[in-house]
Short mmCIF file of all heavy atoms in Angstrom, two decimals:
data_model
loop_
_atom_site.label_atom_id
_atom_site.label_comp_id
_atom_site.label_asym_id
_atom_site.label_seq_id
_atom_site.Cartn_x
_atom_site.Cartn_y
_atom_site.Cartn_z
N ALA A 1 15.80 17.62 13.32
CA ALA A 1 14.95 17.78 12.14
C ALA A 1 13.60 18.40 12.49
O ALA A 1 13.00 19.07 11.66
CB ALA A 1 14.74 16.43 11.46
N THR A 2 13.13 18.17 13.71
CA THR A 2 11.84 18.71 14.13
C THR A 2 12.02 19.39 15.48
O THR A 2 13.13 19.55 15.96
CB THR A 2 10.80 17.58 14.26
OG1 THR A 2 11.22 16.66 15.26
CG2 THR A 2 10.59 16.87 12.94
N HIS A 3 10.93 19.75 16.06
CA HIS A 3 10.95 20.33 17.40
C HIS A 3 11.23 19.21 18.42
O HIS A 3 10.78 18.08 18.23
CB HIS A 3 9.60 20.99 17.69
CG HIS A 3 9.63 21.90 18.87
ND1 HIS A 3 9.41 21.46 20.13
CD2 HIS A 3 9.88 23.24 18.96
CE1 HIS A 3 9.50 22.47 20.99
NE2 HIS A 3 9.78 23.56 20.28
N PRO A 4 11.96 19.47 19.50
CA PRO A 4 12.20 18.42 20.51
C PRO A 4 10.92 17.85 21.11
O PRO A 4 10.93 16.75 21.65
CB PRO A 4 13.03 19.14 21.57
CG PRO A 4 13.70 20.25 20.85
CD PRO A 4 12.74 20.67 19.76
N PHE A 5 9.83 18.58 21.00
CA PHE A 5 8.53 18.11 21.47
C PHE A 5 8.16 16.79 20.80
O PHE A 5 7.55 15.91 21.43
CB PHE A 5 7.47 19.18 21.17
CG PHE A 5 6.06 18.74 21.41
CD1 PHE A 5 5.54 18.77 22.69
CD2 PHE A 5 5.26 18.31 20.37
CE1 PHE A 5 4.23 18.38 22.91
CE2 PHE A 5 3.96 17.91 20.58
CZ PHE A 5 3.45 17.95 21.86
N VAL A 6 8.53 16.63 19.53
CA VAL A 6 8.16 15.42 18.79
C VAL A 6 8.80 14.20 19.44
O VAL A 6 8.14 13.18 19.63
CB VAL A 6 8.59 15.55 17.30
CG1 VAL A 6 8.37 14.26 16.56
CG2 VAL A 6 7.84 16.69 16.64
N TRP A 7 10.08 14.30 19.80
CA TRP A 7 10.74 13.14 20.42
C TRP A 7 10.27 12.97 21.86
O TRP A 7 9.93 11.86 22.27
CB TRP A 7 12.26 13.28 20.40
CG TRP A 7 12.91 12.10 21.04
CD1 TRP A 7 13.32 11.99 22.33
CD2 TRP A 7 13.17 10.83 20.44
NE1 TRP A 7 13.84 10.75 22.57
CE2 TRP A 7 13.76 10.01 21.42
CE3 TRP A 7 12.97 10.32 19.17
CZ2 TRP A 7 14.15 8.71 21.16
CZ3 TRP A 7 13.36 9.02 18.91
CH2 TRP A 7 13.93 8.24 19.91
N ASN A 8 10.23 14.05 22.63
CA ASN A 8 9.94 13.94 24.05
C ASN A 8 8.52 13.48 24.32
O ASN A 8 8.29 12.66 25.22
CB ASN A 8 10.19 15.28 24.75
CG ASN A 8 11.65 15.66 24.72
OD1 ASN A 8 12.51 14.80 24.63
ND2 ASN A 8 11.92 16.95 24.77
N VAL A 9 7.56 13.99 23.58
CA VAL A 9 6.17 13.67 23.88
C VAL A 9 5.61 12.59 22.98
O VAL A 9 5.05 11.60 23.46
CB VAL A 9 5.31 14.96 23.80
CG1 VAL A 9 3.85 14.65 24.01
CG2 VAL A 9 5.80 15.97 24.81
N LEU A 10 5.76 12.74 21.68
CA LEU A 10 5.12 11.80 20.77
C LEU A 10 5.86 10.46 20.71
O LEU A 10 5.31 9.41 21.04
CB LEU A 10 5.02 12.41 19.37
CG LEU A 10 4.17 13.68 19.27
CD1 LEU A 10 4.20 14.23 17.86
CD2 LEU A 10 2.75 13.41 19.69
N ILE A 11 7.10 10.50 20.28
CA ILE A 11 7.85 9.25 20.12
C ILE A 11 8.22 8.67 21.49
O ILE A 11 8.17 7.46 21.69
CB ILE A 11 9.09 9.48 19.24
CG1 ILE A 11 8.65 9.92 17.85
CG2 ILE A 11 9.95 8.23 19.16
CD1 ILE A 11 9.78 10.29 16.93
N GLY A 12 8.59 9.53 22.42
CA GLY A 12 8.96 9.05 23.75
C GLY A 12 7.83 8.33 24.46
O GLY A 12 8.05 7.34 25.16
N SER A 13 6.60 8.81 24.27
CA SER A 13 5.48 8.14 24.92
C SER A 13 5.19 6.78 24.29
O SER A 13 4.67 5.88 24.94
CB SER A 13 4.24 9.02 24.88
OG SER A 13 3.85 9.24 23.54
N ILE A 14 5.56 6.62 23.02
CA ILE A 14 5.33 5.33 22.36
C ILE A 14 6.42 4.33 22.72
O ILE A 14 6.13 3.18 23.06
CB ILE A 14 5.24 5.52 20.83
CG1 ILE A 14 3.98 6.31 20.48
CG2 ILE A 14 5.24 4.18 20.12
CD1 ILE A 14 3.90 6.73 19.05
N ILE A 15 7.68 4.75 22.69
CA ILE A 15 8.75 3.78 22.94
C ILE A 15 8.90 3.46 24.42
O ILE A 15 9.64 2.53 24.76
CB ILE A 15 10.10 4.24 22.34
CG1 ILE A 15 10.62 5.50 23.01
CG2 ILE A 15 10.00 4.40 20.85
CD1 ILE A 15 12.01 5.89 22.59
N ASN A 16 8.23 4.17 25.28
CA ASN A 16 8.26 3.84 26.71
C ASN A 16 7.10 2.91 27.10
O ASN A 16 6.81 2.75 28.28
CB ASN A 16 8.24 5.10 27.56
CG ASN A 16 9.60 5.75 27.61
OD1 ASN A 16 10.61 5.07 27.69
ND2 ASN A 16 9.62 7.07 27.53
N LEU A 17 6.46 2.29 26.12
CA LEU A 17 5.44 1.28 26.37
C LEU A 17 6.10 -0.09 26.38
O LEU A 17 7.20 -0.27 25.85
CB LEU A 17 4.37 1.33 25.27
CG LEU A 17 3.47 2.56 25.26
CD1 LEU A 17 2.58 2.54 24.03
CD2 LEU A 17 2.62 2.61 26.51
N PRO A 18 5.45 -1.09 26.97
CA PRO A 18 6.01 -2.45 26.94
C PRO A 18 6.12 -2.97 25.50
O PRO A 18 5.30 -2.65 24.64
CB PRO A 18 5.00 -3.27 27.73
CG PRO A 18 4.29 -2.30 28.59
CD PRO A 18 4.26 -1.02 27.82
N THR A 19 7.13 -3.77 25.28
CA THR A 19 7.40 -4.28 23.94
C THR A 19 6.24 -5.12 23.41
O THR A 19 5.86 -4.98 22.25
CB THR A 19 8.68 -5.13 23.96
OG1 THR A 19 9.74 -4.33 24.49
CG2 THR A 19 9.06 -5.62 22.58
N PHE A 20 5.66 -5.96 24.25
CA PHE A 20 4.58 -6.81 23.78
C PHE A 20 3.36 -5.99 23.38
O PHE A 20 2.63 -6.36 22.47
CB PHE A 20 4.20 -7.88 24.82
CG PHE A 20 3.49 -7.36 26.02
CD1 PHE A 20 2.11 -7.24 26.04
CD2 PHE A 20 4.20 -6.99 27.15
CE1 PHE A 20 1.45 -6.78 27.16
CE2 PHE A 20 3.54 -6.52 28.28
CZ PHE A 20 2.17 -6.41 28.28
N LEU A 21 3.17 -4.85 24.02
CA LEU A 21 2.03 -4.00 23.68
C LEU A 21 2.24 -3.31 22.33
O LEU A 21 1.32 -3.26 21.51
CB LEU A 21 1.82 -2.97 24.79
CG LEU A 21 0.55 -2.16 24.75
CD1 LEU A 21 -0.65 -3.08 24.94
CD2 LEU A 21 0.58 -1.12 25.83
N ILE A 22 3.44 -2.82 22.09
CA ILE A 22 3.73 -2.13 20.82
C ILE A 22 3.63 -3.11 19.65
O ILE A 22 2.95 -2.84 18.65
CB ILE A 22 5.13 -1.48 20.87
CG1 ILE A 22 5.12 -0.31 21.84
CG2 ILE A 22 5.56 -1.02 19.48
CD1 ILE A 22 6.48 0.31 22.05
N PHE A 23 4.30 -4.27 19.78
CA PHE A 23 4.28 -5.23 18.67
C PHE A 23 2.91 -5.89 18.53
O PHE A 23 2.53 -6.26 17.42
CB PHE A 23 5.39 -6.25 18.83
CG PHE A 23 6.71 -5.74 18.37
CD1 PHE A 23 7.64 -5.25 19.27
CD2 PHE A 23 7.03 -5.72 17.03
CE1 PHE A 23 8.86 -4.76 18.86
CE2 PHE A 23 8.25 -5.24 16.60
CZ PHE A 23 9.16 -4.76 17.51
N GLY A 24 2.18 -6.03 19.62
CA GLY A 24 0.82 -6.55 19.52
C GLY A 24 -0.09 -5.60 18.77
O GLY A 24 -0.91 -6.01 17.93
N ALA A 25 0.05 -4.30 19.05
CA ALA A 25 -0.75 -3.30 18.34
C ALA A 25 -0.36 -3.23 16.86
O ALA A 25 -1.23 -3.15 15.98
CB ALA A 25 -0.59 -1.93 18.99
N LEU A 26 0.94 -3.29 16.58
CA LEU A 26 1.38 -3.30 15.18
C LEU A 26 0.88 -4.54 14.46
O LEU A 26 0.46 -4.47 13.30
CB LEU A 26 2.91 -3.23 15.11
CG LEU A 26 3.54 -1.88 15.37
CD1 LEU A 26 5.06 -2.02 15.40
CD2 LEU A 26 3.12 -0.87 14.35
N GLY A 27 0.93 -5.69 15.12
CA GLY A 27 0.43 -6.92 14.51
C GLY A 27 -1.06 -6.88 14.26
O GLY A 27 -1.54 -7.30 13.21
N ALA A 28 -1.81 -6.36 15.21
CA ALA A 28 -3.26 -6.25 15.03
C ALA A 28 -3.60 -5.27 13.90
O ALA A 28 -4.49 -5.53 13.09
CB ALA A 28 -3.92 -5.80 16.33
N LEU A 29 -2.87 -4.17 13.83
CA LEU A 29 -3.10 -3.19 12.77
C LEU A 29 -2.76 -3.77 11.40
O LEU A 29 -3.51 -3.60 10.44
CB LEU A 29 -2.27 -1.93 13.03
CG LEU A 29 -2.47 -0.78 12.06
CD1 LEU A 29 -3.88 -0.23 12.16
CD2 LEU A 29 -1.46 0.31 12.32
N ALA A 30 -1.62 -4.49 11.31
CA ALA A 30 -1.25 -5.11 10.03
C ALA A 30 -2.23 -6.21 9.64
O ALA A 30 -2.57 -6.37 8.47
CB ALA A 30 0.17 -5.66 10.11
N ALA A 31 -2.71 -6.99 10.62
CA ALA A 31 -3.68 -8.04 10.32
C ALA A 31 -5.01 -7.45 9.88
O ALA A 31 -5.66 -7.97 8.96
CB ALA A 31 -3.89 -8.93 11.55
N LEU A 32 -5.42 -6.37 10.51
CA LEU A 32 -6.67 -5.72 10.13
C LEU A 32 -6.57 -5.10 8.74
O LEU A 32 -7.49 -5.21 7.93
CB LEU A 32 -7.04 -4.65 11.16
CG LEU A 32 -8.34 -3.91 10.95
CD1 LEU A 32 -9.50 -4.88 11.15
CD2 LEU A 32 -8.45 -2.76 11.91
N THR A 33 -5.43 -4.49 8.45
CA THR A 33 -5.25 -3.84 7.15
C THR A 33 -5.08 -4.88 6.04
O THR A 33 -5.57 -4.67 4.93
CB THR A 33 -4.01 -2.92 7.19
OG1 THR A 33 -4.14 -2.03 8.28
CG2 THR A 33 -3.89 -2.12 5.92
N GLY A 34 -4.41 -5.99 6.32
CA GLY A 34 -4.14 -6.98 5.29
C GLY A 34 -5.12 -8.12 5.22
O GLY A 34 -4.86 -9.10 4.53
N ARG A 35 -6.24 -8.01 5.90
CA ARG A 35 -7.19 -9.13 5.92
C ARG A 35 -7.78 -9.35 4.52
O ARG A 35 -7.85 -8.43 3.71
CB ARG A 35 -8.29 -8.91 6.94
CG ARG A 35 -9.30 -7.85 6.55
CD ARG A 35 -10.29 -7.58 7.67
NE ARG A 35 -11.32 -6.68 7.26
CZ ARG A 35 -11.22 -5.37 7.24
NH1 ARG A 35 -10.10 -4.80 7.64
NH2 ARG A 35 -12.21 -4.60 6.85
N ARG A 36 -8.22 -10.57 4.29
CA ARG A 36 -8.87 -10.89 3.02
C ARG A 36 -10.26 -10.26 3.01
O ARG A 36 -11.03 -10.39 3.95
CB ARG A 36 -8.97 -12.39 2.84
CG ARG A 36 -7.66 -13.03 2.55
CD ARG A 36 -7.86 -14.49 2.17
NE ARG A 36 -6.62 -15.07 1.75
CZ ARG A 36 -5.79 -15.74 2.54
NH1 ARG A 36 -6.10 -15.89 3.81
NH2 ARG A 36 -4.67 -16.24 2.07
N ARG A 37 -10.57 -9.65 1.92
CA ARG A 37 -11.87 -9.02 1.77
C ARG A 37 -12.90 -10.07 1.36
O ARG A 37 -12.60 -10.97 0.58
CB ARG A 37 -11.84 -7.90 0.73
CG ARG A 37 -10.74 -6.88 0.95
CD ARG A 37 -11.00 -6.08 2.21
NE ARG A 37 -10.11 -4.92 2.28
CZ ARG A 37 -9.16 -4.78 3.15
NH1 ARG A 37 -8.94 -5.71 4.02
NH2 ARG A 37 -8.42 -3.70 3.17
N GLU A 38 -14.11 -9.92 1.87
CA GLU A 38 -15.17 -10.83 1.47
C GLU A 38 -15.75 -10.37 0.15
O GLU A 38 -15.94 -9.18 -0.09
CB GLU A 38 -16.28 -10.84 2.52
CG GLU A 38 -15.88 -11.46 3.83
CD GLU A 38 -17.02 -11.50 4.82
OE1 GLU A 38 -18.19 -11.48 4.37
OE2 GLU A 38 -16.76 -11.55 6.01
N LYS A 39 -16.02 -11.35 -0.72
CA LYS A 39 -16.65 -11.01 -1.98
C LYS A 39 -18.13 -10.76 -1.72
O LYS A 39 -18.79 -11.52 -1.03
CB LYS A 39 -16.51 -12.15 -2.98
CG LYS A 39 -15.34 -12.03 -3.88
CD LYS A 39 -15.45 -13.05 -4.99
CE LYS A 39 -14.50 -12.67 -6.09
NZ LYS A 39 -14.58 -13.61 -7.19
N LEU A 40 -18.61 -9.70 -2.29
CA LEU A 40 -20.01 -9.36 -2.13
C LEU A 40 -20.68 -9.50 -3.48
O LEU A 40 -20.36 -8.79 -4.43
CB LEU A 40 -20.14 -7.92 -1.60
CG LEU A 40 -21.55 -7.42 -1.33
CD1 LEU A 40 -22.18 -8.25 -0.21
CD2 LEU A 40 -21.50 -5.97 -0.93
N ASP A 41 -21.58 -10.46 -3.57
CA ASP A 41 -22.31 -10.66 -4.81
C ASP A 41 -23.69 -10.02 -4.67
O ASP A 41 -24.49 -10.42 -3.85
CB ASP A 41 -22.47 -12.15 -5.10
CG ASP A 41 -21.14 -12.80 -5.40
OD1 ASP A 41 -20.27 -12.12 -5.98
OD2 ASP A 41 -20.95 -13.99 -5.05
#
């Protein structure tokens, strides 16, 4: 669907990381994005 560069360099560099690092980053990103906003009066 794309150039082989996308799999070899972009996706390949991500999936060749340790599992705890990938899921930890995803969890931190989801927690940061879904955090409760403070009410500002």
Side-chain angles (χ1 to χ4, degrees):
T2 62
H3 195 272
F5 171 81
V6 173
W7 180 265
N8 295 334
V9 176
L10 298 177
I11 298 175
S13 63
I14 293 171
I15 65 173
N16 282 320
L17 290 173
T19 304
F20 72 88
L21 191 65
I22 291 174
F23 279 99
L26 284 174
L29 184 66
L32 182 67
T33 307
R35 72 185 186 278
R36 287 189 174 94
R37 308 293 192 249
E38 292 182 24
K39 267 191 164 180
L40 182 64
D41 294 326

